[in-house]
Amino acid sequence: MTSDSEALTPVGGEEALVPASGKNIEGRSLGRIAFTRLKQDRVAIAGGVVVILLILVAALAPVLVKLFGHPVNDFHQDQIDPNLGGLPLGHWGGINSHFLLGVQPVSGRDMFSQILYGAQTSLLVAFFATVVAVVIGVVLGVVAGYFGGWVDSLISRVMDLFLAFPLLLFAIALISVLPNGNTVRIVILILIIGGFSWPYIGRIVRGQTLSLREREFVESARSIGARSPRILFRELLPNLAAPILVYTTLIIPTNILFEAALSFLGVGVQPPRASWGYLLSDAVSFYEFDPMYMIIPGLAIFITVLAFNLLGDGLRDALDPKSSR
């Protein structure tokens, strides 16, 4: 309720009302409402801040390594104790003022540099694989949901085929016979991960499109003679932006884990290029004597995946009008 001094009065015979004080009542768009709700979710905001920091760290890795670390592939044998089977000197994996995260056993490479350049590899593969998956999934999902009939049946059966395909085994078999160049491996990783994960977002978009195609604004566009491409890309896609955005933020951590798993199994990114998964794989032989070598890349993966998941959950709640949060 408003006080007498703030009573609403009609303006110029229009339906709009303003307070007696003369101030207009400002309407809020759905995007602004969602942003306001997202700002109130401190956990999601924290996840978003961590994601931004990770992206900056990966982008500025050469600068940060130059300021605080050592060249990523330089060996530092003076930091290795030859009497302990190649373990780092000192405690906590060789952490000191010159090596902020210690050094790798045997080789003595700087772990700080390895983690920063490993972030480049993981985010590069995850982001581009997500772009491939989202583009294919959105296009085929919208087409299937809008046209229906045999088109929907065909695309749905293709989705089922891809979902039933043993992706991990296929990736291991394909990458293991490729040349050793990391550039080729990264491109193949992006194509495999993105090319086989699109059915997940495709099903979500298809289901939303089936609901939206019967709405009034679509019928109105048809009644004025709008062609199917215009309806698909000018009417339906803007209304699918929310689920696409949410699913994009949730699929990125899945792709990070998949890339790390392949590198851990020895068929992903190989040295000398840094990779969190390869660091974990190499740490298996040393974790009993140097646990920090496994803890540091493990924490990097854990924090990255957690941050993206928290941001994705927050976006989902903020963009869902039925959410009570």
Side-chain angles (χ1 to χ4, degrees):
M1 296 180 64
T2 58
S3 62
D4 293 340
S5 60
E6 294 294 330
L8 299 177
T9 57
V11 178
E14 300 291 337
E15 294 182 357
L17 299 177
V18 299
S21 60
K23 296 182 180 180
N24 291 326
I25 299 177
E26 183 180 1
R28 295 192 300 171
S29 65
L30 294 177
R32 185 170 179 181
I33 293 173
F35 182 68
T36 301
R37 297 177 67 181
L38 181 63
K39 288 193 300 182
Q40 296 172 350
D41 190 342
R42 296 183 179 179
V43 175
I45 292 298
V49 170
V50 173
V51 167
I52 293 173
L53 290 177
L54 286 168
I55 295 173
L56 290 176
V57 163
L60 300 176
V63 177
L64 296 175
V65 167
K66 186 176 182 179
L67 293 175
F68 304 106
H70 303 79
V72 65
N73 289 316
D74 279 8
F75 294 168
H76 302 277
Q77 294 299 322
D78 58 322
Q79 301 295 315
I80 300 299
D81 189 342
N83 298 320
L84 293 177
L87 295 178
L89 293 170
H91 301 287
W92 304 104
I95 294 177
N96 55 51
S97 58
H98 297 288
F99 295 88
L100 301 181
L101 296 178
V103 297
Q104 286 183 276
V106 181
S107 67
R109 289 187 294 185
D110 186 5
M111 282 294 293
F112 178 78
S113 304
Q114 292 286 310
I115 291 298
L116 264 59
Y117 278 96
Q120 278 190 345
T121 301
S122 294
L123 293 180
L124 175 69
V125 173
F127 280 142
F128 280 99
T130 300
V131 170
V132 172
V134 169
V135 170
I136 298 175
V138 168
V139 171
L140 293 183
V142 169
V143 170
Y146 178 74
F147 289 103
W150 68 268
V151 175
D152 184 20
S153 298
L154 177 61
I155 295 177
S156 296
R157 297 296 77 77
V158 173
M159 291 182 183
D160 294 336
L161 178 64
F162 273 78
L163 291 173
F165 203 84
L167 175 56
L168 182 60
L169 295 178
F170 176 75
I172 292 174
L174 179 61
I175 298 176
S176 61
V177 299
L178 291 175
N180 292 327
N182 276 319
T183 301
V184 175
R185 286 177 175 264
I186 289 175
V187 172
I188 295 300
L189 277 174
I190 291 172
L191 294 178
I192 289 176
I193 298 173
F196 280 86
S197 58
W198 67 265
Y200 298 99
I201 189 169
R203 282 189 164 184
I204 294 174
V205 172
R206 171 186 173 274
Q208 294 290 326
T209 305
L210 287 172
S211 174
L212 291 174
R213 72 178 184 179
E214 306 299 334
R215 299 283 293 274
E216 292 81 1
F217 66 92
V218 176
E219 294 295 335
S220 176
R222 289 197 188 102
S223 67
I224 61 175
R227 296 178 178 271
S228 295
R230 176 183 174 83
I231 296 175
L232 289 174
F233 296 102
R234 298 292 297 273
E235 304 294 340
L236 291 176
L237 273 183
N239 288 278
L240 293 169
I244 293 172
L245 178 62
V246 171
Y247 191 80
T248 299
T249 58
L250 293 176
I251 198 176
I252 289 176
T254 302
N255 292 340
I256 291 175
L257 289 174
F258 193 84
E259 182 277 325
L262 290 176
S263 297
F264 180 85
L265 294 173
V267 294
V269 178
Q270 299 293 309
R273 190 178 182 97
S275 168
W276 291 343
Y278 181 82
L279 290 176
L280 282 176
S281 177
D282 195 40
V284 171
S285 303
F286 299 96
Y287 76 93
E288 292 183 0
F289 312 101
D290 183 13
M292 292 301 296
Y293 188 25
M294 178 172 284
I295 291 174
I296 291 173
L299 278 177
I301 296 174
F302 173 77
I303 292 172
T304 303
V305 172
L306 179 63
F308 275 104
N309 282 331
L310 292 178
L311 177 60
D313 288 340
L315 285 174
R316 180 184 59 197
D317 293 335
L319 294 170
D320 185 3
K322 298 179 181 179
S323 174
S324 59
R325 295 182 60 179

